[in-house]
Amino acid sequence: MTSSTLTRGAAMWALLSLAIGSFGIGMTEFVVMGLLPDIATGMLPTVWATSQEDAIAQSGWLITFYALGVVVGAPTIAGSVARYPRHKVMIGLALALTVFNALTFLLPTFELVAASRFLAGLPHGAYFGIGALVAADVLGPGKRAQGVSFVLTGLTVANVVGVPLGTYLGQQVGWRAAFVVVAAIFALATVCIALFVPHHPGDPGRTLRAELKVFRIGQVWLALGVGAIGFGGFFAVYSYVAPMVTEIAGSPAWVVPIILILMGIGMTIGNLVGGRLADGNLTRTLFGGLVGLAVVLTLLALTSQWIFALAFFVFATGFVSSVLSPTIQTRLMDVAQDNQSIAAALNHSALNIGNALGAFLGGLAIAVGWGFAAPAWVGVVLALGGLGIALASIALERSRVAVPA
């Protein structure tokens, strides 16, 4: 069958198959953040015995390596495979995600695990970019956005269910157990995509060189900068939620999954609200979201010693950051002209530059002795930096519109 001949039931199975993969991506990207103390004690025992702060900061490099894999893989893979049938590309990407995540729980040393995290990040952006094109076509004309949102629901649900459960499992059995589950999810996604996603042709005329022309557009670079810098403020905090809960608030480790659930709920609500707000006024939502993120992170830093305040502001951080997510994506699509497919993948590159930057700077602030609340202050600086880039982008755009008049 092709997308145009699918029954509604078959279309839903195709979308569910893609959503299983996006659930796995959400889990593999974020579950590390709740397991940093466990990874530090298990893989860096010597460093942990000397300095817990250094061990946790070094474990945060696993987040950075994954994010760098996304940054490298999103444009190169999405551009290179644009000519091939998309359903077959999705099978290949899901299979690659299965293998690379299996390596994470099999490899014995920290250095090799770090390499496996980089490899696991490579297919991430291409999976979402190409999967969005397939999903948009599956339900037919007039329902394209519904198809895309259904697939992205897997990522949202991962933050509410998969990440907290993976964190709890990793705490009880060992952090590698979480990646056994992740690899199994991707294996299931591979089988389901092969069985239920219909034939979907590529674009034989597209080449990597043609796709990469999107980088000639100055506003694309500014939109990517907003995502990379501004959204990095969210990741600076998300990466170190576990030590904030246990070391600052003094709560037991079993509280960490609960806090992660609250953040996931905030992200789910924020994503829905952000889409509506951005449709109403994208510029106002972009500015308001970045200012709101800076304010919430400031309050988090000031009140994190109280677990209920920490829980509330972690929820608020998830909410405000996810208001920004569809807003930044829409802004990028608006300025990318006819390069929509690679723009969808590039959005994930930008957000994962923010992931790498936030995790690295947050860990650096901890390592130099500024304390476990320091990542929140790093997040404030990054959010304000993103706001500055957004202001420059909109001002430049308006000045160019005004010149012909």
Side-chain angles (χ1 to χ4, degrees):
M1 290 188 295
T2 63
S3 298
S4 60
T5 62
L6 286 180
T7 64
R8 180 168 180 81
M12 294 307 295
W13 275 106
L15 293 175
L16 179 61
S17 301
L18 296 171
I20 292 171
S22 68
F23 179 93
I25 287 177
M27 189 170 176
T28 193
E29 181 174 16
F30 297 122
V31 76
V32 173
M33 298 168 182
L35 294 172
L36 284 183
D38 304 271
I39 294 171
T41 55
M43 300 216 72
L44 302 167
T46 304
V47 180
W48 179 268
T50 304
S51 171
Q52 294 184 12
E53 290 84 357
D54 288 346
I56 289 176
Q58 189 171 333
S59 298
W61 295 352
L62 298 183
I63 302 169
T64 301
F65 276 106
Y66 181 91
L68 291 175
V70 180
V71 173
V72 172
T76 54
I77 294 177
S80 299
V81 301
R83 71 183 71 179
Y84 300 111
R86 289 169 180 157
H87 64 293
K88 292 184 178 179
V89 170
M90 294 303 294
I91 294 172
L93 292 172
L95 182 61
L97 286 162
T98 304
V99 172
F100 295 148
N101 280 278
L103 290 177
T104 297
F105 74 81
L106 289 173
L107 293 174
T109 68
F110 181 83
E111 292 76 14
L112 290 175
V113 169
S116 75
R117 298 309 296 154
F118 176 81
L119 293 173
L122 291 174
H124 174 128
Y127 185 96
F128 277 117
I130 298 170
L133 295 175
V134 175
D137 190 53
V138 161
L139 288 181
K143 297 183 178 179
R144 292 166 57 85
Q146 293 180 46
V148 174
S149 63
F150 190 100
V151 174
L152 292 178
T153 299
L155 182 63
T156 303
V157 173
N159 283 284
V160 179
V161 179
V163 173
L165 288 180
T167 300
Y168 180 78
L169 177 66
Q171 290 173 343
Q172 301 303 311
V173 183
W175 67 268
R176 293 180 186 270
F179 290 94
V180 175
V181 174
V182 168
I185 291 169
F186 283 125
L188 175 63
T190 304
V191 173
C192 290
I193 291 170
L195 291 175
F196 299 117
V197 174
H199 174 78
H200 198 282
D203 186 350
R206 300 299 292 180
T207 64
L208 177 60
R209 183 176 181 180
E211 291 285 325
L212 293 180
K213 288 181 179 179
V214 70
F215 290 112
R216 297 180 181 178
I217 304 171
Q219 284 288 356
V220 166
W221 284 102
L222 292 172
L224 292 174
V226 173
I229 304 299
F231 214 79
F234 163 74
F235 285 112
V237 169
Y238 198 174
S239 301
Y240 300 99
V241 164
M244 290 181 74
V245 171
T246 57
E247 303 301 323
I248 300 178
S251 297
W254 60 263
V255 176
V256 175
I258 298 174
I259 299 299
L260 292 175
I261 289 173
L262 290 174
M263 178 168 273
I265 293 172
M267 293 171 69
T268 302
I269 299 172
N271 187 58
L272 298 173
V273 172
R276 290 182 177 272
L277 291 177
D279 282 339
N281 191 314
L282 189 145
T283 301
R284 186 182 302 164
T285 305
L286 183 61
F287 292 162
L290 290 166
V291 171
L293 182 59
V295 170
V296 167
L297 292 178
T298 298
L299 294 172
L300 174 63
L302 293 173
T303 63
S304 56
Q305 65 268 35
W306 299 298
I307 187 60
F308 290 106
L310 184 149
F312 176 78
F313 287 117
V314 163
F315 168 84
T317 299
F319 174 84
V320 177
S321 63
S322 286
V323 167
L324 280 170
S325 183
T327 307
I328 294 171
Q329 172 72 86
T330 304
R331 174 65 181 169
L332 184 57
M333 299 287 281
D334 286 347
V335 300
Q337 299 174 11
D338 61 346
N339 304 286
Q340 298 296 298
S341 59
I342 196 168
L346 282 173
N347 183 53
H348 294 277
S349 289
L351 297 185
N352 278 274
I353 290 174
N355 190 343
L357 185 65
F360 173 75
L361 293 178
L364 183 62
I366 293 172
V368 299
W370 292 349
F372 288 109
W377 292 114
V378 170
V380 173
V381 174
L382 291 174
L384 293 177
L387 176 63
I389 297 172
L391 289 169
S393 175
I394 299 300
L396 181 62
E397 183 176 70
R398 288 176 176 173
S399 67
R400 289 183 174 177
V401 171
V403 168

